[in-house]
Amino acid sequence: MDWLKDDERLDYLLAENLRIIQSPTVFSFSLDAVLLARFAYVPIQKGEILDLCSGNGVIPLLLSGRTKAQITGVEIQERLYNMAVRSIVLNGLDKQIQMIHGDLKEMPAKLGHALFDVITCNPPYFQTLSKEGQNQNQYFALARHEIACTLEDVVSVSSRLARPGGKVALVHRPGRLMDILTLMRQYKLEPKRLQFVYPKEGKESNMILVEGTKDANPDLKILPPLYIYTHANEYTEEVKELLYGKL
């Protein structure tokens, strides 16, 4: 197999003994994906995990280090799907992780209802703008703007795919918090865990991590805040541990 194409490069995936194929002109993972992969509940030994909007497969790859469960990723962009498949095979994880090239809105019909123990998603953050307001790079535009799917699509599809008691975890922007909580409750994914992420102490939150449980009773827990940088602009000890493990 030709591992790299065009302008792609092969990077180490944090402290994991894994490599990932990336491209600066198409897709490179960012901290939000890593935090979601660390935040989400996963069964240790067995189960079915689904990652929507998988990009180049970073979240399935990271989750594979936390669980022996089967992991499925879904990505609509063919090149990103292809990058994810090559990374999975390169790391010898093709028996645990499979990728589907397709639209997440078609997954309930394709995969069936109420089958997954855990669903994760790092969705497009920004509501669809005019063509002029979108990133001119088509890969970035689809990844960042609600062009191929909306927040409601993500929540409604996740609800149909999650089994009763299954968990759905998202990373998003604080400005969409009320939309997220409202939609989760509307689609019977009761919000259970919420964490605000801050660039550093004294700054406004710029990221949220939220997890809901299918058909659960109300009981939302607000976790301690997570600060990314110290005032010296170095990663905090908590973030270092999330990224690289205990040093």
Side-chain angles (χ1 to χ4, degrees):
M1 178 182 285
D2 294 329
W3 297 116
L4 299 179
K5 300 177 181 179
D6 302 319
D7 58 354
E8 295 172 354
R9 65 176 188 265
L10 194 58
D11 291 337
Y12 281 103
L13 191 52
L14 306 179
E16 310 287 343
N17 186 28
L18 297 171
R19 306 296 296 276
I20 187 167
I21 296 167
Q22 305 214 90
S23 166
T25 62
V26 178
F27 189 89
S28 295
F29 74 86
S30 54
L31 186 61
D32 49 2
V34 179
L35 295 182
L36 177 61
R38 299 296 193 236
F39 170 81
Y41 160 85
V42 292
I44 295 174
Q45 293 298 328
K46 60 182 180 179
E48 294 287 342
I49 299 173
L50 181 67
D51 179 57
L52 302 174
C53 305
S54 285
N56 65 345
V58 58
I59 290 176
L61 287 168
L62 287 169
L63 290 177
S64 72
R66 298 182 56 206
T67 180
K68 295 179 181 178
Q70 290 296 305
I71 304 169
T72 301
V74 177
E75 174 53 45
I76 195 170
Q77 298 196 61
E78 185 174 8
R79 185 173 175 196
L80 296 181
Y81 159 81
N82 185 266
M83 291 166 67
V85 169
R86 283 180 283 136
S87 290
I88 290 162
V89 174
L90 177 65
N91 287 290
L93 290 167
D94 45 306
K95 286 184 170 58
Q96 183 184 14
I97 305 173
Q98 67 164 323
M99 288 295 301
I100 296 174
H101 175 222
D103 187 330
L104 66 83
K105 296 188 291 294
E106 299 171 356
M107 290 307 109
K110 184 179 181 69
L111 299 175
H113 289 231
L115 295 178
F116 291 92
D117 302 284
V118 178
I119 298 172
T120 57
C121 186
N122 180 5
Y125 289 157
F126 304 109
Q127 292 174 300
T128 305
L129 302 171
S130 66
K131 289 288 186 181
E132 293 74 21
Q134 296 171 14
N135 195 299
Q136 295 305 301
N137 181 311
Q138 62 170 329
Y139 298 102
F140 293 160
L142 279 169
R144 295 172 179 171
H145 297 275
E146 294 182 344
I147 299 170
C149 70
T150 65
L151 178 59
E152 184 164 7
D153 291 331
V154 169
V155 176
S156 64
V157 166
S158 297
S159 178
R160 281 178 279 166
L161 292 166
R163 65 168 179 78
K167 300 182 186 302
V168 175
L170 308 175
V171 59
H172 218 292
R173 295 295 179 93
R176 301 299 300 278
L177 176 59
M178 290 307 300
D179 295 334
I180 293 168
L181 297 182
T182 300
L183 286 168
M184 290 181 88
R185 180 163 281 181
Q186 177 183 335
Y187 287 99
K188 302 185 185 305
L189 295 173
E190 186 61 33
K192 302 292 279 188
R193 296 167 63 225
L194 174 63
Q195 186 169 39
F196 291 89
V197 182
Y198 299 81
K200 61 177 63 172
E201 287 192 55
K203 299 292 185 180
E204 291 184 359
S205 172
N206 63 350
M207 198 185 311
I208 54 171
L209 297 157
V210 59
E211 184 178 78
T213 302
K214 181 69 179 290
D215 296 332
N217 294 322
D219 184 22
L220 176 62
K221 291 181 170 56
I222 309 296
L223 304 182
L226 177 62
Y227 299 104
I228 303 301
Y229 294 105
T230 67
H231 287 294
N233 292 319
E234 297 177 349
Y235 282 135
T236 62
E237 292 303 314
E238 187 174 6
V239 170
K240 287 180 184 176
E241 185 172 332
L242 288 172
L243 295 178
Y244 310 117
K246 291 186 178 181
L247 303 177

